[in-house]
Amino acid sequence: FEGPRLLGARAHHARADVRRRWQAYAHVRSELARYFGLIAAINVGLGVVTAAAMAWLGLPNALLWGSVAALLNFIPYVGPAVTLVLLSAAALLAFDGLSQVAAVALTFITITTLEGQLVQPWLVGRRARVSPLLVFLAIWVGGWVWGVLGMVLAAPLLVAATALRNALSTVAAANEVGA
């Protein structure tokens, strides 16, 4: 009678399948943690560059403005826009000429454009092994569909979907080998 041996084999395969699915879950969680760590590092870099640029331009409290830029940059598009308004207001209060105010605004626009359009998509795309264009399009479509919340969630969802696809393809391959 093959029943007990067949049930034991099925139980073994079920345990192996559960183990592989937990490994897939752990892989997705790990990739998301790496993604958020990378975004934090990029934002700190943006803050350092902003603080250095504002100090070079002579804007008082440059470290404060760098910190504000780093923190608000976690909110795509809206955060840098708010930072630009705050920097422009601070420059209006600190400087006599409009040319210095324009220099502060244009410098920050240049920094955030480089960060948002080149540095972040390239690094995130490299980390998640997806095209930087795909990262940019995901943020754009997320914003179009769900507004600011969609822009915030688009890249992490893309990273999670990519990691899940990779992990599940590994599970499927393991199931084919084990079957």
Side-chain angles (χ1 to χ4, degrees):
F1 184 65
E2 296 289 322
R5 193 165 57 101
L6 189 64
L7 283 175
R10 284 188 182 243
H12 173 73
H13 285 301
R15 283 190 302 270
D17 190 46
V18 167
R19 189 177 328 111
R20 286 186 204 110
R21 291 189 191 278
W22 274 109
Q23 288 171 343
Y25 166 75
H27 177 70
V28 170
R29 191 181 68 192
S30 172
E31 288 297 311
L32 281 174
R34 287 185 182 140
Y35 166 78
F36 286 118
L38 177 62
I39 294 301
I42 290 170
N43 289 347
V44 167
L46 175 85
V48 167
V49 171
T50 300
M54 295 307 122
W56 181 73
L57 291 170
L59 187 67
N61 302 312
L63 288 176
L64 170 69
W65 299 118
S67 300
V68 167
L71 290 174
L72 289 181
N73 202 52
F74 280 100
I75 307 167
Y77 302 106
V78 174
V82 170
T83 304
L84 177 63
V85 169
L86 293 174
L87 282 171
S88 298
L92 275 170
L93 294 173
F95 299 127
D96 292 330
L98 286 180
S99 63
Q100 290 173 302
V101 174
V104 166
L106 290 174
T107 300
F108 185 71
I109 288 171
T110 301
I111 292 168
T112 55
T113 299
L114 290 173
E115 179 272 332
Q117 303 301 317
L118 296 175
V119 175
Q120 186 173 346
W122 182 71
L123 289 175
V124 169
R126 222 174 130 193
R127 176 72 201 100
R129 294 178 201 87
V130 295
S131 164
L133 178 62
L134 187 58
V135 174
F136 177 77
L137 289 175
I139 292 171
W140 184 78
V141 169
W144 179 61
V145 173
W146 294 317
V148 174
L149 182 62
M151 288 188 277
V152 171
L153 294 176
L157 287 174
L158 178 64
V159 169
T162 302
L164 185 61
R165 182 200 66 203
N166 294 341
L168 290 179
S169 66
T170 303
V171 168
N175 284 341
E176 286 178 15
V177 169

